[in-house]
Structures are given as structure tokens and as C-alpha cells.
Amino acid sequence: MNIPNNLEPLIEFKNITKFFGESKVLNNVSLTVNNGEFLTLLGPSGCGKTTLIRILAGFEKPTSGQVIISGKDVTDVVPNKRTVNTVFQNYALFPHMDVFDNVAFGLRMKKVNERLIKAEVMSALRIVKMEKYANRMPSELSGGQQQRIAIARAFINKPKVLLLDEPLSALDYKLRQQMQIELKELRRKLGITFIFVTHDQEEAFSMSDRVVVMNSGVIEQLGTPSEIYEEPNNMFVANFVGQINELEGQIIEVYENNFDACIDGLIMNLNKRKNKDNSFIIKQGKVRVLLRPEDLRVERVADVEGIPEGCLSGIIVDTVYKGMTIDVLVKINNGKILMATEFFNEDDPDISYKAGEKVLVSWVKDWEVVLPHGE
């Protein structure tokens, strides 16, 4: 995914805090959204992501903080005076209006000439591939078709920002995948900023230029999909964005750019991670070593002479066939179960492990993520 070249800030959330009664749902959140990018707010239910975009849209007011759009403070500006439109989870189409009138609604509220309205509506429907359905009622459309109409109705007013609040959650898996591709293409055609809200990691990673991982009203990490997945800041991010294997280690000796640690009885040399100010995150004590399942390598003990350096011993517990991949569950000597993901090849007999087989587990050096034990 390429971040747009046009990187001037369009939206700024400055120290946004929001209370509902005594419950703090946003805690001093600051975030800049660049012009023309596809940004996704990712996190579990109740983390504050929907509240944040409702504040941007003007449907909620922050308890404290500012919302800036194109350099102007809009914190107290009413929703219909902001250059922001929202596509809701339930699409919110008018059931008594046909497709054409639903899409035309915003332009008619602005008193646009009817001839221009017809041209603009049909152009919008062509973009979302729904021009043949202009005279249909919402009840006559599928979920995916209704979503396209809701998006057309939102962007026909030419907003600077299109907010999408979990708009794919009601669709089946294949349709969600299709709509993810179409939303990316739509963003390219329109050239406007998209802010997408989801709790689904696959949605976030497949569409976004950048992802904001939220938890309990704060931003845990902001970065590209690859940065979030491959370099999680903490255990919450590591666990939330996919399967993760966790090993515990004790630092034995520290060098300039790396250190030796004892992990499950093995001495391993690991690289240090640095903070943004270039200081080292880990200096001493216990560490967590994190590895994605696809980063692990499993070999039968019978196929290897001796035990190579940096390998953990274990036995196969189970395998889970998933079509293109197989998850291999291995119990290592300390009792912890690790998951390794291997690509399935029916012509390769070595991937057909049996429960109880003795194996070795390893990984390519530097593919691990090392965090202090407390994070």
C-alpha cells in the first residue's frame, strides 16, 4: 500500500477527551489525518473509535480538545456545516425513496438545479456501478447494493472527508472482500480522504495507507499495515492484529546493539529495539520474544543431525488444515504451545505431521519482536 504523495494535514484532533457521564471513552487523543489518505481506526468494541469519528462529523462534542479541518477549528460547528459525510453501519437509506431520490437528497437540500442533479446523480451511480438501479426501492436491493447507494449519497456532495463506520459488517465474507477492493478503487477515483472504522484486522490492512490501533480510549499505535503487524509497540497490538507466539527470556549480557538472553534453556542473541529518540527500549531484566506463526520453521528431529543452535525442541500436538495453509501446534519443553503456519503442498509429504512426533522449532534471526516483559 502506497501512502499518498500529498501529505499536507487535512484533519487534526488535538487532545480530544470525551466523557459519557463518569465514563471516559477518549483520553487526550491527538491525531493528524493527511489529505487524500485512507486511514483506518482499528480496535475492539468500546475502544472509542466510533466516538472519535462522531466527534469529527459533529454528532458529538468533545468534553475537551479541538477538531481542526483545513486549518479551521470546527469543534463547535454543526454537522451540516462541515465538509464531512458519513456512511453508517446500517446505511440509513430512506425507505420511501427510490435509489435516484436517495442519492439526490443532499443536492436537493442545497437547492441545486434539477438538470444538474440528474447529471450528478447518474454520474455517482455509474461510479458505484448502480446506474441500472436508479428506479429501484431500497427494499429491492441486496446489502452490497444498498451500501453502494449509501456511499454514492455520501460523496455526491463532494465532502473533503468520507467517514465509513463499519459499513461492511453486515455483509458475507466474499462480498466484504469484493467491497474492500471497490472502496480502494473508489478512493482513487474520488481523490478524497477516507476514514474507515472497523474491528476487523483484515479489512484494515487490505485497504489502508495507515492504521490507528485504539484501546480503552487511547491510541496504542499508528503506522502502515506492515509496521503495525511486523513491529507492534506492545502486547495489546501484537495480540489484536493476528496470531502471535510469545516466548519469555532473561537478559544475560548486553552489547552495543544486541544482547544475549536465555530462552527456554537456550542462549540466543537478539537485536535491541529503539525508541523514536533512538534510545534503547530494552536494557536489562526479562523480555518477551514475539513471533508470528508464519515466521516459525518446524523440522522433524529425525531429519536433522544433532540439534542446531537456536532451535527449540518440542512435540507435535495437532495440525489444522485451512486449505492453502496448515497450522502446526507444537508443545515445547517448557509446556508452552506454539503455532507455526506452513503453506500446504499436497506433493510435499513432510508437512503431514502426526501428533507426538518430535520436532525442532526455529526462525530466521531478526524476524522476532522483542519487548520488555512488562509491556
Side-chain angles (χ1 to χ4, degrees), residues 104-138:
F105 180 79
L107 298 180
R108 285 177 175 150
M109 291 294 290
K110 292 180 176 180
K111 311 280 189 208
V112 175
N113 179 276
E114 280 295 326
R115 287 180 61 184
L116 182 57
I117 286 176
K118 183 175 181 180
E120 290 286 331
V121 170
M122 294 311 297
S123 175
L125 291 178
R126 278 191 292 274
I127 289 174
V128 296
K129 303 173 185 175
M130 289 293 291
E131 67 270 25
K132 295 179 181 178
Y133 298 85
N135 297 320
R136 294 273 186 96
M137 301 301 288

Side-chain angles (χ1 to χ4, degrees), residues 39-40 42 204-205 208-213 221-225 228:
L39 183 89
T40 294
L42 173 67
F205 285 5
S208 310
D209 298 313
R210 292 190 300 160
V211 176
V212 180
V213 182
Q221 188 168 351
L222 167 64
T224 65
I228 298 292

Side-chain angles (χ1 to χ4, degrees), residues 50-103:
T50 293
T51 301
L52 190 62
I53 67 162
R54 286 180 62 82
I55 288 173
L56 176 58
F59 301 132
E60 300 284 353
K61 287 193 65 174
T63 304
S64 62
Q66 292 178 292
V67 179
I68 310 295
I69 300 178
S70 298
K72 296 181 180 179
D73 188 339
V74 298
T75 311
D76 296 318
V77 175
V78 296
N80 65 341
K81 298 297 183 181
R82 302 189 185 196
T83 52
V84 174
N85 275 5
T86 306
V87 178
F88 298 99
Q89 185 174 346
N90 62 0
Y91 312 138
L93 299 177
F94 300 116
H96 60 286
M97 295 183 184
D98 64 15
V99 165
F100 184 96
D101 288 340
N102 261 282
V103 178

Side-chain angles (χ1 to χ4, degrees), residues 135-152:
N135 297 320
R136 294 273 186 96
M137 301 301 288
S139 60
E140 299 174 306
L141 303 176
S142 68
Q145 291 169 336
Q146 289 184 43
Q147 189 215 43
R148 289 186 178 96
I149 299 308
I151 291 171

